[in-house]
Amino acid sequence: MGAQFQFSKRRIEALGLPEEGREQYRDSRTPGLVLRVTTTGTKTFAVYKKVNGRPVRFKLGTFPTMSVEKARQQAADILGEMAKGKKPAEARREARHEATVAGLFDYWLDYARQHKRTWSEDERLYNKFLKPWANRQLSSVTRRNVEALHARVGEQNGRYQANRLLALIRAAFNKADRLEYHGPNPATGIKKFPEQSRDRYLEAHELRALFASLTQEESLFADFFLIALLSGARRGNLQAMQWADVNLDLGVWRIPQTKSGHPVLVPLIPAAVEILARRFEEANGNPWVFPTRSKTGHLIEPKTAWKRICRRAGLTNLRMHDLRRTLGSWQVALGSSLAVIGKSLGHRDGSPATAVYARLTLGPIRESVERAGTAMLKAGRLLEAPKQKGQDDE
């Protein structure tokens, strides 16, 4: 057996050709994975293992058509099956037919669409973080792989998103037996990052900066973020807002399906109605309140616009969801009860803050939202403050 080194694309490309016959090298990272190099320059990955004292070799593929990572995955799969007592030929056959990460998540997303209202978030997490693993067989995904991914996402994308990804991997692998995979769940036993609830909201001087920045933005995004602030609606609901669900005369928006699983009535204060009435006049029959040329026909991802608006306003550490929190915080400051605030934000029934929601009508909700909305607009100087008694018109 030839020299041993850690296989990599660069080092394999740099290997010289043998003068005669072929040279064989071993991978220091994956015991049993070898590379055979011929005088013609052909470089072939294979699995090498002694079974009952006799050498067994399986050709995997040629480099660079087969990558180093893919060769490692296939070698680990075959050797894993042999470790379970499978005969070499059977082990190779089992490894080849084992479900992949892509196959598992195809199954999971079909399941999630039927049982989870947040299935689109699962799809987004898979596409963003797990797509590079698509062709990996399930047995090749180790706990160490998942721990490393969880840590990287936590550092680069935030602890909350990393924890949601970890939960998704764990849930999907719990269903892997439906695909005849009975190996361990690689996400089991990995600790979530501690999460701290955000308390970020916009104060008066920040509202002034935000409103000034919005005046320089195109109306689609300026109106979107103003309605987000004045209604407290979740971003996904607002993006898919339809005129069929809006009653401008009554000042009410009915969200037919929400995170809680039930329709929610959102009171629209006069400032919000004014924005929506203008958009309705310009809609030309388009069913979406915030239409775009996307596949869905409506606004999908306003993240770039949000970053631009915040940068221009000099606002840091501010997320779109903080607009929703800002409305609730201003309601608190103006003396509204937690029950009224929770109802105005569409919190699910049964939560500690919403135990008394069932007996509330829309009246006090509208009053609370309108009082907070008006205060925010005045603080941001989009509305004139009322004149003091005795103050004459100029």
Side-chain angles (χ1 to χ4, degrees), residues 105-123:
F105 277 90
D106 281 344
Y107 174 84
W108 171 259
L109 289 173
D110 283 342
Y111 170 85
R113 287 185 184 96
Q114 300 175 48
H115 297 91
K116 293 183 66 179
R117 297 192 183 280
T118 56
W119 66 267
S120 59
E121 176 64 11
D122 290 354
E123 185 175 45

Side-chain angles (χ1 to χ4, degrees), residues 98 101 110 175 233 241 254 277 282:
E98 185 183 315
V101 170
D110 283 342
K175 296 289 184 184
M241 188 179 189
R254 182 182 184 274
E282 300 169 354

Side-chain angles (χ1 to χ4, degrees), residues 254-293:
R254 182 182 184 274
I255 304 177
Q257 191 175 73
T258 64
K259 189 176 179 180
S260 66
H262 302 288
V264 168
L265 293 180
V266 178
L268 300 170
I269 69 172
V273 170
E274 183 178 343
I275 294 170
L276 292 172
R278 171 175 50 76
R279 294 198 65 82
F280 183 72
E281 290 179 0
E282 300 169 354
N284 295 322
N286 194 300
W288 306 107
V289 177
F290 300 102
T292 65
R293 294 180 180 178

Side-chain angles (χ1 to χ4, degrees), residues 133-346:
W133 291 2
N135 294 325
R136 292 184 63 169
Q137 292 174 315
L138 298 185
S139 61
S140 74
V141 180
T142 66
R143 177 173 171 172
R144 181 177 295 181
N145 296 151
V146 178
E147 283 179 326
L149 178 63
H150 182 237
R152 177 168 57 80
V153 173
E155 181 179 349
Q156 297 178 0
N157 303 91
R159 293 183 168 190
Y160 181 87
Q161 193 155 195
N163 287 345
R164 302 293 82 73
L165 177 63
L166 179 63
L168 172 61
I169 296 172
R170 184 182 296 119
F173 267 87
N174 281 340
K175 296 289 184 184
D177 60 342
R178 312 294 174 87
L179 303 181
E180 303 301 324
Y181 173 75
H182 303 287
N185 188 324
T188 299
I190 300 176
K191 288 187 177 181
K192 296 192 303 181
F193 291 120
E195 295 178 14
Q196 186 174 6
S197 298
R198 281 174 64 88
D199 56 4
R200 180 76 166 94
Y201 67 95
L202 288 160
E203 299 181 5
H205 70 282
E206 293 178 311
L207 284 168
R208 289 194 290 273
L210 175 66
F211 293 157
S213 182
L214 288 176
T215 61
Q216 302 174 57
E217 193 62 39
E218 68 173 281
S219 63
L220 173 71
F221 296 116
D223 293 347
F224 178 84
F225 292 121
L226 278 172
I227 296 298
L229 176 67
L230 297 176
S231 68
R234 291 185 174 90
R235 187 181 78 175
N237 294 137
L238 197 59
Q239 288 169 181
M241 188 179 189
Q242 298 188 64
W243 291 117
D245 299 321
V246 178
N247 189 319
L248 294 176
D249 292 330
L250 296 179
V252 172
W253 169 29
R254 182 182 184 274
I255 304 177
Q257 191 175 73
T258 64
K259 189 176 179 180
S260 66
H262 302 288
V264 168
L265 293 180
V266 178
L268 300 170
I269 69 172
V273 170
E274 183 178 343
I275 294 170
L276 292 172
R278 171 175 50 76
R279 294 198 65 82
F280 183 72
E281 290 179 0
E282 300 169 354
N284 295 322
N286 194 300
W288 306 107
V289 177
F290 300 102
T292 65
R293 294 180 180 178
S294 67
K295 291 182 179 180
T296 63
H298 61 73
L299 185 62
I300 290 296
E301 183 51 84
K303 188 180 296 183
T304 300
W306 178 247
K307 288 180 179 179
R308 180 172 62 243
I309 290 164
C310 289
R311 184 170 57 250
R312 193 163 51 220
L315 298 171
T316 59
N317 190 30
L318 188 69
R319 302 175 186 172
M320 281 181 265
H321 193 77
D322 294 332
L323 296 177
R324 176 175 164 84
R325 189 175 292 108
T326 295
L327 177 62
S329 298
W330 279 73
Q331 289 182 80
V332 169
L334 293 168
S336 296
S337 70
L338 291 179
V340 167
I341 295 168
K343 187 68 172 178
S344 73
L345 297 177

Side-chain angles (χ1 to χ4, degrees), residues 364-379:
I365 310 302
R366 180 185 298 280
E367 181 183 352
S368 173
V369 174
E370 186 164 346
R371 194 164 61 241
T374 301
M376 288 189 295
L377 292 171
K378 288 178 179 176

